[in-house]
Amino acid sequence: MSNLEDRPDELVCAAARGGVEVMTPRDVPLGGPRAMTVRRTLPQRERSLIGAWCFLDHYGPDDVADTGGMTVAPHPHTGLQTVSWLFTGEVEHRDSAGHHAVVRPGELNLMTAGHGISHSEVSPASVRTLHGAQLWVALPADARDGAPRFDHYAPPAVQGEGWTARVFLGSLLGSTSPVPTATPLLGAELVLTAGTEVHLDVDASYEHGVLVDTGVVSLGEVEVEEHELAYLPPGSQRLSVDAHEDARVLLLGGPPFGEPIVMWWNFVGRSHEEVVAFREDWMAQLEAGAYADGRFGVPTGNTLAPIPAPALPNARLRERR
């Protein structure tokens, strides 16, 4: 998914320390008079990273008849991976590395941008309801300039008394995803019935995020409501989730990223000059109204006009830890 804000903030990602933090989302329209609106919980001023997870848009359930569904035209990415996870509906993915796939509920679609890629995301006309999450993962220095790729995985359901889990990245509850990642990561969906408390054995070196899709849960003494994102610092080998009512959450995790990165629009870089160059390369592909091949390529079978990059802020983009 593209960051379609006209004036995207410069966001510098660096992990912090402290107790459990609860973050509320802000609404971001994806463009147009009948724009689909997403709830953005990451990044925020208070926190930009949870492990290597650097971006989280949460949307729906939306009636496509009211919102028009998802129509995100081709846009570029560098230095990151996109993670698509749906609860309801379908989204058609096309990218410039030649991949054409349909994102379906309970199935992971992970696109690695690496050196550069462009892609589009469109919900088919048959879809009536859209509900899901779009996330980004920052790539470390030794992987961020690699070749683009695409991975798909349908994780099996793992069940216990009052809960069902699907582990799409990393390992949890005896289930391990085969999808490779450049840094250690955890990504899982948990569905709990009211009154269920599940105790999760987790890696103490990880920081974790819990996004509440539906319901209300407690993490220890901290209550987290629908659409909120809770951050838990490293140090604990057990994470307990207590559902006050029927609930669904996404659990994210990874060790602190450890690299200062600059994230602006759809690019993850390491310096002002890099981001400027990424933008120039993208806009060069759009010169004279054309959509020419270049660093980011052209998605296979695309019929939509690409999204121009917004203007850079009138200030130097800075790297901070």
Side-chain angles (χ1 to χ4, degrees), residues 186-238:
L186 172 62
E189 176 190 290
L190 294 171
V191 179
L192 304 95
T193 58
T196 297
E197 184 173 14
V198 60
H199 303 287
L200 306 171
D201 293 325
V202 295
D203 192 320
S205 69
Y206 282 24
E207 47 191 6
H208 291 90
V210 178
L211 173 74
V212 180
D213 173 53
T214 58
V216 178
V217 304
S218 286
L219 308 174
E221 300 299 318
V222 179
E223 186 172 285
V224 189
E225 298 184 355
E226 188 173 73
H227 305 160
E228 292 182 332
L229 174 67
Y231 166 82
L232 298 91
S236 177
Q237 295 181 321
R238 173 161 286 199

Side-chain angles (χ1 to χ4, degrees), residues 24-193:
T24 57
R26 61 188 178 95
D27 290 342
V28 178
L30 290 189
R34 296 173 66 233
M36 175 181 170
T37 296
V38 299
R39 297 176 291 274
R40 185 159 297 162
T41 48
L42 200 69
Q44 296 201 11
R45 290 187 182 277
E46 296 81 7
R47 178 161 305 282
S48 294
L49 278 174
I50 298 176
W53 299 96
C54 63
F55 182 92
L56 200 173
D57 274 357
H58 177 216
Y59 55 90
D62 288 337
D63 185 340
V64 171
D66 294 333
T67 67
M70 183 181 295
T71 304
V72 182
H75 54 279
H77 288 294
T78 57
L80 57 83
Q81 294 174 302
T82 64
V83 175
S84 300
W85 188 258
L86 279 176
F87 306 123
T88 309
E90 291 184 349
V91 175
E92 188 175 30
H93 164 99
R94 295 179 184 271
D95 70 42
S96 58
H99 303 109
H100 177 208
V102 177
V103 184
R104 295 185 174 91
E107 299 182 5
L108 169 73
N109 282 267
L110 183 147
M111 183 187 75
T112 301
H115 179 74
I117 199 169
S118 62
H119 74 133
S120 63
E121 297 151 294
V122 178
S123 54
S126 59
V127 170
R128 295 291 175 263
T129 303
L130 270 180
H131 185 190
Q134 181 73 32
L135 309 98
W136 296 353
V137 176
L139 290 171
D142 60 358
R144 70 190 187 97
D145 203 39
R149 62 177 285 167
F150 185 86
D151 293 276
H152 171 267
Y153 174 57
V158 181
Q159 295 180 318
E161 186 175 352
W163 59 264
T164 301
R166 295 182 187 274
V167 182
F168 51 88
L169 289 175
S171 297
L172 187 73
L173 295 166
S175 181
T176 297
S177 168
V179 178
T181 58
T183 59
L185 290 174
L186 172 62
E189 176 190 290
L190 294 171
V191 179
L192 304 95
T193 58

